[in-house]
């Protein structure tokens, strides 16, 4: 009877796993089909870049080449790491779309006021001003673009508005913007034509002004045959007739309603079918782990230098973050030291801050992948250690070379090679094209190292959807999904480029790496004998379904107002709301893991790893889930898009989730290669508290309150006002920004503690116990761990 029950239970589990696999494959196919069809829709519906823009008399005012050239100037000087266009970029400077729209609108108002009443707009009575406003709005909204001739015609008032925009930005880029932009950033020289489509001849300040004017035009002009603008009526500015659309209101309510419904459904399914890593160690006997008897290979020991470099890059990246926070208080120097700002202005420091975050987090995860490969495969392939060294130095060249190239490119020293060797100018994708190629090659080398290590494990595992295969599939996805960065060129329409950019930021960083992280956590729990493989695989499939089912289409919340089709407001709102659910379930899993760790007693060697895994889970819910849900509601995003609530979510998600997980896997790997007597959990517990308290302080003390004030400012006075230097210069805002130095310092203490610990660990590494091609006495994960 007992045997029959076991057989029936085994058959039921197998059937359940097969069903979950089918659902997962179906989910992936549907999700990416929707995403790609939506991308094609964006391509068809995005705002045109006219071959020529003419006046009513037929004079050519600007051309498509000028718009493309202006976009290239914007990217070349790293201005997306200072301000934003269409709400995307950094937050020190203005949103250039909203700013240009204001200048453009006020220019048209003055023209109409002089035409009707022979005096400036501000000198008119309130009734006269209202008449002028209505005429200007009506004139702005009408779409005079002719698709047949590819020509846009501007009225005389619009021509005057264009002239005002050009004059405004000529002054800004000559004399500075009175905040954080250096004087004379863009040279008055002409950009020579060299045969490439993205390099246009002409004055660079005029080109960038024309590009900003184009974004203002598309944000205020109705789509052909529609009642909303190309940006779905964003940015909010009543004088231009831009107010929130019905779809933004409706889908905000609908997304919250659907979220409540799906929470109930998914929790029922999870508990009904026990889809969690719940089958723990047998008979309550916690496994005894003796690190001195753990097998160790040469390639595993060599990962020590990866993790030391990770901690140093983390420190440097955090120091750039502190410098950026200081610039909000003192925008043109560092405690009166001007040369620091001259060498590292905000846009360069911001680019470094973002790139180094990706570098140190990715390197930590790559190092962990190298470490666990022999554990999975059960042996050390020949020349594996040599490949690990080659990859390490390739990463060193990538980090050093790309940072130097970015600095040279933004400062104009690379000329028209800025895109290839310097800074591409896209936030989070600052790497020049050559450095992107080096990065992909490095990831392919890493994939080859991992494959060599786990190859025998793959052969032993008969189930092609088993734990080892899941680990391999997620590893393949890491380099594969970065390939979409190569779809972006300087002459790509901004809206289409942003579509692909978010494939890297959201799908690669937030999606694929998250899937990889979930698999790794499951593997580590099985490896440490804390859970069984069968419960882990079942739980992983369930988590993948809801992670990818919500996260892939959920990328659409980035497309609300960047010139994409209105359909993305609905898709993005609903599916990004659902992303909260898998993050919540991961917290519940983390709590179960915490109880395992607690039950392990004083002899459990991976306490530090678990502290950071718990931190990851909490920030997954709070930083990525709760703060993300807040700003992803279309009705909130319409007023908030690109304000301080965005970095509140960004810091909580990037550092809180990916950073904390990077530290967790770093400590797991180090714990196995460092001599047990040289380990000190007290240092790491202190570092964990400092990092969590500091990160929470940054968000609660500064980013959230300023973000809420910005939201109110945009609602009351228009979006442009919330992004102006005048808002940031207010005493209350400056006091909150100054107060941020307290949590920043606490955070840096945690970073320094971790760095010192990791670097010191290099001097206390264990010696390899197993040589190449020698079998390791590790559990065969191709079999059930009972």
């Amino acid at each position: 009877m007992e045997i029959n029950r076991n057989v029936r239970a085994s058959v039921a589990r197998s059937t359940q796993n097969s069903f979950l696999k089918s659902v997962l494959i179906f989910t992936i196919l549907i999700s990416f089909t929707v995403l790609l069809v939506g991308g094609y829709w964006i391509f068809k519906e995005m705002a045109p870049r006219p071959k020529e823009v003419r006046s009513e008399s037929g004079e050519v005012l600007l051309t498509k080449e000028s718009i493309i050239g202006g976009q290239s100037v914007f990217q070349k000087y790293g201005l997306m790491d200072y301000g934003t266009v269409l709400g995307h970029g950094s937050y020190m400077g203005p949103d250039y779309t909203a700013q240009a729209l204001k200048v453009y609108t006020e220019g048209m108002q003055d023209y109409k006021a002089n035409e009707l009443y022979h005096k400036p707009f501000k000198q008119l009575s309130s009734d006269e001003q209202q008449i002028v406003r209505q005429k200007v709005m009506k004139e702005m909204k009408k779409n005079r673009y002719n698709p047949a001739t590819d020509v846009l015609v501007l009225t005389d008032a619009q021509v005057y508005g264009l002239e005002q925009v050009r004059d405004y930005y000529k002054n800004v880029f000559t004399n500075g913007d009175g905040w954080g932009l250096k004087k004379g950033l863009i040279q008055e020289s002409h950009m020579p034509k060299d045969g490439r489509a993205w390099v246009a001849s002409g004055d660079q300040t005029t080109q960038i002004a024309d590009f900003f004017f184009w974004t203002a035009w598309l944000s205020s002009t109705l789509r052909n045959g529609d009642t909303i603008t190309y940006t779905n009526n964003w940015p909010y500015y009543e004088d231009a007739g831009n107010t929130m659309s019905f779809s933004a209101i409706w889908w905000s309510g609908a997304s919250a309603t659907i979220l409540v419904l799906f929470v109930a459904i998914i929790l029922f399914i999870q508990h009904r079918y026990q889809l969690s890593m719940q089958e723990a160690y047998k008979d309550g006997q916690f496994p005894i782990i003796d690190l001195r008897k753990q097998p160790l290979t040469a390639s595993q020991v060599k990962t020590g230098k990866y993790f030391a470099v990770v901690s140093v890059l983390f420190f440097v990246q955090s120091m750039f973050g502190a410098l950026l926070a200081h610039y909000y208080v003192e925008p043109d120097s560092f405690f009166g030291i001007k040369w620091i700002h001259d060498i590292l202005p905000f846009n360069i420091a911001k680019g470094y801050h973002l790139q180094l975050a990706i570098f140190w987090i990715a390197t930590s995860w790559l190092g962990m992948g190298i470490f666990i490969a022999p554990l999975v495969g059960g042996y050390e392939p020949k020349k594996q250690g040599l490949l690990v060294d080659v990859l390490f130095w390739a990463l060193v060249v990538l980090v050093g070379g790309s940072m130097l190239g970015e600095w040279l490119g933004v400062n104009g020293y690379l000329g028209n090679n800025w895109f290839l060797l310097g800074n591409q100018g896209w936030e989070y994708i600052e790497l020049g094209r050559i450095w992107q190629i080096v990065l992909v090659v490095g990831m392919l080398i890493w994939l080859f190292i991992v494959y060599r290590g786990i190859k025998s494990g793959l052969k032993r595992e008969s189930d092609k959807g088993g734990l080892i295969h899941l680990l391999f599939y997620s590893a393949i996805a890491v380099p594969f999904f970065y390939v979409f960065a190569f779809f972006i060129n300087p002459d790509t329409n901004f809206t289409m480029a942003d579509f692909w950019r978010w494939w890297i930021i959201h799908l690669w960083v937030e999606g694929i790496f998250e899937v990889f992280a979930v698999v790794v956590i499951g593997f580590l729990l099985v490896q440490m004998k804390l859970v069984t493989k069968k419960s882990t695989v079942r739980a992983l499939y369930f988590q993948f379904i809801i992670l990818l089912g919500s996260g892939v289409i959920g990328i659409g919340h980035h497309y609300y107002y960047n010139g994409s089709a209105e359909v993305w407001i609905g898709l993005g709102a609903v599916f990004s709301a659902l992303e909260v659910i898998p993050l919540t379930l991961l917290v519940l899993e983390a709590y179960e893991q915490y109880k395992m760790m607690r039950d392990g007693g004083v002899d459990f060697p991976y306490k530090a790893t678990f502290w950071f895994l718990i931190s990851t889970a909490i920030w997954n819910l709070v930083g990525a889930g709760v703060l993300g849900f807040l700003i992803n509601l279309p009705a909130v995003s319409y007023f908030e898009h690109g304000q301080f609530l965005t970095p509140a979510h960004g810091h909580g998600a990037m550092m809180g989730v990916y950073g904390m997980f990077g530290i967790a896997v770093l400590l797991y790997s180090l714990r196995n290669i460092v001599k047990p007597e040289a380990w000190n959990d007290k240092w790491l517990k202190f570092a964990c508290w400092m990092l969590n308290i500091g990160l929470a302080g940054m968000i609660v003390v500064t980013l959230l309150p300023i973000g809420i004030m910005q939201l109110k400012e945009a609602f009351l006075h228009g979006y442009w006002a919330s992004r102006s230097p005048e808002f940031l210069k207010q005493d209350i805002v400056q006091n909150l920004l100054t107060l941020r130095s307290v949590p920043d310092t606490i955070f840096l203490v945690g970073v320094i503690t971790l760095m010192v610990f990791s670097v010191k660990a290099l001097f206390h590494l264990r010696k390899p116990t197993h040589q190449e091609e020698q079998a390791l006495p590790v559990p065969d994960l191709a079999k059930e761990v009972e």
Side-chain angles (χ1 to χ4, degrees):
M1 292 291 293
E2 181 67 27
I3 294 175
N4 288 337
R5 278 198 298 270
N6 289 338
V7 170
R8 286 197 299 271
S10 177
V11 171
R13 282 193 298 267
S14 177
T15 302
Q16 190 179 79
N17 284 355
S18 297
F19 175 73
L20 288 173
K21 290 176 190 177
S22 300
V23 173
L24 176 59
I25 293 171
F26 177 78
T27 300
I28 293 173
L29 290 175
I30 290 296
S31 297
F32 278 96
T33 298
V34 171
L35 190 59
L36 289 170
V37 170
Y40 178 73
W41 202 332
I42 289 176
F43 177 75
K44 296 292 288 185
E45 295 291 323
M46 63 188 179
R49 293 181 294 184
K51 179 181 66 177
E52 291 180 346
V53 177
R54 299 176 183 172
S55 67
E56 289 179 309
S57 63
E59 178 188 359
V60 176
L61 303 168
L62 60 97
T63 64
K64 181 177 181 178
E65 285 72 22
S66 180
I67 296 171
I68 294 175
Q71 180 176 312
S72 297
V73 175
F74 175 72
Q75 295 169 237
K76 175 182 178 180
Y77 291 100
L79 287 171
M80 200 177 194
D81 283 319
Y82 174 68
T84 57
V85 163
L86 296 171
H88 292 283
S90 192
Y91 319 111
M92 174 76 165
D95 179 82
Y96 289 107
T97 300
Q99 189 181 66
L101 178 61
K102 178 177 180 291
V103 175
Y104 169 45
T105 304
E106 290 178 346
M108 290 186 66
Q109 289 173 342
D110 276 338
Y111 184 91
K112 286 294 184 183
N114 278 297
E115 182 180 61
L116 295 174
Y117 303 106
H118 307 292
K119 52 185 175 181
F121 179 78
K122 291 184 178 180
Q123 294 180 15
L124 301 181
S125 66
S126 58
D127 289 340
E128 291 171 337
Q129 286 184 341
Q130 188 59 29
I131 292 172
V132 170
R133 283 195 186 95
Q134 291 301 318
K135 287 184 175 293
V136 167
M137 280 190 276
K138 183 177 180 180
E139 203 163 295
M140 293 179 77
K141 293 301 176 192
K142 185 175 180 180
N143 196 331
R144 297 176 178 82
Y145 171 72
N146 186 337
T149 60
D150 199 15
V151 171
L152 169 64
V153 175
L154 300 182
T155 66
D156 291 341
Q158 288 178 307
V159 172
Y160 185 76
L162 167 62
E163 291 171 352
Q164 296 306 300
V165 171
R166 285 175 169 174
D167 290 343
Y168 181 85
Y169 285 111
K170 183 178 181 63
N171 178 63
V172 164
F173 291 112
T174 301
N175 302 312
D177 63 356
W179 189 233
L181 197 69
K182 292 197 301 184
K183 294 180 180 180
L185 174 67
I186 298 177
Q187 296 84 12
E188 289 297 326
S189 61
H190 286 54
M191 187 182 288
K193 195 171 184 69
D194 68 353
R196 284 176 289 182
W198 62 82
V199 181
S201 59
D203 178 63
Q204 295 185 58
T205 54
T206 300
Q207 288 180 340
I208 197 171
D210 289 349
F211 170 62
F212 293 156
F213 170 81
W214 175 74
T215 67
W217 171 81
L218 68 91
S219 71
S220 58
T221 301
L222 299 182
R223 298 176 186 270
N224 282 317
D226 209 336
T227 58
I228 57 173
T229 71
Y230 287 102
T231 56
N232 301 319
N233 292 354
W234 188 91
Y236 173 57
Y237 187 41
E238 289 187 341
D239 277 16
N242 277 14
T243 56
M244 185 161 52
S245 64
F246 170 75
S247 58
I249 300 172
W250 162 250
W251 285 111
S252 294
S255 65
T257 304
I258 294 171
L259 170 64
V260 174
L261 174 64
F262 271 81
V263 166
I265 293 173
I266 290 175
L267 287 179
F268 169 77
I269 293 173
Q270 184 193 36
H271 287 279
R272 170 65 178 82
Y273 297 102
Q274 299 180 348
L275 298 171
S276 63
M277 302 176 193
Q278 60 176 351
E279 298 177 34
Y281 41 91
K282 194 174 182 179
D283 299 327
Q285 181 62 46
F286 197 88
I288 298 175
I289 301 174
D290 187 350
L291 293 176
R292 290 178 175 82
K293 295 181 180 179
Q294 293 282 84
L296 197 63
T297 70
S299 68
Q300 289 178 315
V301 174
K302 288 186 175 185
T303 61
K305 58 178 175 287
Y306 281 75
F307 301 122
V309 168
V310 163
S311 66
V312 173
L313 291 179
F314 184 24
F315 170 72
V316 176
Q317 186 251 341
S318 299
M319 292 302 292
F320 275 116
L323 178 63
L324 293 171
H326 180 84
Y327 280 153
Y328 279 98
V329 179
E330 190 181 7
D332 59 352
S333 66
F334 183 71
F335 293 105
I337 305 174
K338 295 284 187 181
W339 63 265
I340 292 180
H341 180 266
D342 292 339
I343 295 175
L344 294 171
F346 187 94
N347 56 331
I348 293 178
K350 178 63 181 291
Y352 284 167
H353 183 62
L354 295 177
Q355 283 302 302
L356 286 172
I358 294 174
F359 281 145
W360 78 258
I361 293 171
T363 301
S364 177
W365 294 26
L366 297 181
M368 178 273 308
I370 294 171
F371 174 82
I372 66 173
L375 297 180
V376 178
Y379 79 105
E380 173 90 330
K382 290 182 178 180
K383 306 297 183 182
Q384 188 83 327
L386 176 62
L387 287 173
V388 171
D389 287 336
V390 169
L391 177 60
F392 175 80
W393 289 111
L395 292 173
V396 170
V397 170
L398 171 65
V399 174
S402 63
M403 290 183 69
L404 177 61
E406 287 169 25
W407 189 88
L408 292 172
V410 170
N411 282 287
Y413 295 122
L414 295 178
N416 287 334
N417 290 314
W418 59 272
F419 173 73
L420 296 175
L421 296 170
N423 184 344
Q424 284 195 34
W426 296 103
E427 188 192 30
Y428 282 102
I429 313 180
E430 283 84 356
L431 290 179
R433 181 54 49 87
I434 297 298
W435 304 114
Q436 283 185 325
I437 295 172
V438 174
L439 175 59
V440 171
V441 170
M443 288 190 289
L444 290 175
I445 294 174
W446 170 78
L447 180 61
F448 181 62
I449 292 172
V450 171
Y451 172 71
R452 294 179 82 234
I454 70 174
K455 182 170 60 175
S456 59
L458 290 170
K459 291 179 179 178
R460 291 194 302 270
E461 188 174 61
S462 58
D463 182 3
K464 301 304 180 184
L467 184 58
I468 299 176
H469 279 80
L470 288 177
L471 186 66
F472 183 52
Y473 300 150
S474 61
I476 292 174
V478 171
F480 174 76
F481 272 86
Y482 190 80
V483 170
F484 295 100
F486 294 94
F487 286 30
I488 302 173
N489 287 307
D491 59 342
T492 305
N493 187 297
F494 189 93
T495 299
M496 203 68 224
D498 218 38
F499 172 79
W500 293 117
R501 187 173 74 96
W502 285 109
W503 275 60
I504 305 304
I505 302 172
H506 191 103
L507 285 184
W508 186 62
V509 176
E510 297 184 33
I512 299 307
F513 269 102
E514 188 157 355
V515 168
F516 184 65
V518 171
V519 176
V520 168
I521 290 174
F523 167 80
L524 294 182
L525 292 176
V526 174
Q527 174 66 20
M528 291 185 286
K529 303 178 185 178
L530 300 181
V531 295
T532 64
K533 179 190 173 188
K534 57 192 175 188
S535 68
T536 300
V537 171
R538 194 166 62 241
L540 287 179
Y541 275 112
F542 178 63
Q543 290 172 3
F544 288 165
I545 290 168
I546 55 178
L547 267 174
L548 296 176
S550 60
V552 173
I553 303 177
I555 192 177
H557 66 263
H558 299 292
Y559 303 147
Y560 292 161
Y561 309 118
N562 71 342
S564 300
E566 187 180 18
V567 66
W568 281 110
I569 292 182
L571 288 172
V574 170
F575 285 91
S576 63
L578 297 180
E579 288 183 83
V580 178
I581 300 175
L583 305 183
T584 304
L585 296 181
L586 289 175
V587 170
L588 298 178
E589 290 287 0
Y591 178 68
E592 294 299 321
Q593 295 159 15
Y594 167 75
K595 290 196 296 184
M596 297 174 196
M597 182 201 73
R598 184 187 60 193
D599 294 344
V602 294
D603 294 328
F604 183 60
Y606 300 110
K607 284 188 173 67
T609 295
F610 271 74
W611 293 330
F612 282 96
L613 285 178
I614 299 302
S615 301
T616 299
I618 293 172
W619 282 110
N620 218 350
L621 175 61
V622 176
V626 175
L627 294 177
F629 178 73
L630 171 63
I631 65 173
N632 291 344
L633 289 170
V636 176
S637 182
Y638 181 76
F639 296 101
E640 184 279 334
H641 189 40
Q643 294 175 358
F644 268 53
L645 288 180
T646 300
H649 159 63
H651 281 74
M654 189 70 175
M655 176 58 219
V657 180
Y658 303 102
M660 293 296 184
F661 182 73
I663 296 171
V665 298
L666 173 153
L667 294 177
Y668 173 80
S669 304
L670 282 181
R671 190 67 175 99
N672 288 278
I673 66 176
V674 172
K675 296 175 182 176
E677 61 271 17
W679 195 263
N680 191 330
D681 275 334
K682 292 181 179 179
W683 277 54
L684 299 173
K685 190 172 187 178
F686 176 75
C688 185
W689 277 110
M690 291 296 99
L691 291 173
N692 278 285
I693 292 172
L695 180 58
M698 293 178 206
I699 295 171
V700 173
V701 172
T702 301
L703 298 177
L704 270 179
I706 293 179
I708 293 170
M709 286 189 288
Q710 272 187 308
L711 188 64
K712 183 178 179 180
E713 181 76 9
F715 181 81
L716 294 176
H717 302 112
Y719 181 81
W720 68 269
S722 69
R723 292 291 305 277
S724 66
E726 287 71 28
F727 173 83
L728 293 174
K729 289 177 181 178
Q730 295 179 88
D731 288 343
I732 185 172
V733 174
Q734 286 292 298
N735 289 337
L736 288 171
L737 289 167
T738 301
L739 190 59
R740 179 180 164 174
S741 61
V742 176
D744 278 5
T745 301
I746 294 172
F747 186 84
L748 284 171
V749 169
V751 175
I752 292 170
T753 303
L754 181 68
M755 180 181 66
V756 172
F757 181 90
S758 301
V759 173
K760 284 181 63 178
L762 280 179
F763 301 96
H764 300 282
L765 298 180
R766 294 170 56 199
K767 294 186 181 300
T769 59
H770 285 70
Q771 305 303 316
E772 295 177 348
E773 302 290 357
Q774 183 179 354
L776 276 65
V778 296
D780 185 356
L781 294 181
K783 300 178 181 178
E784 293 290 339
V785 181
E786 297 290 356

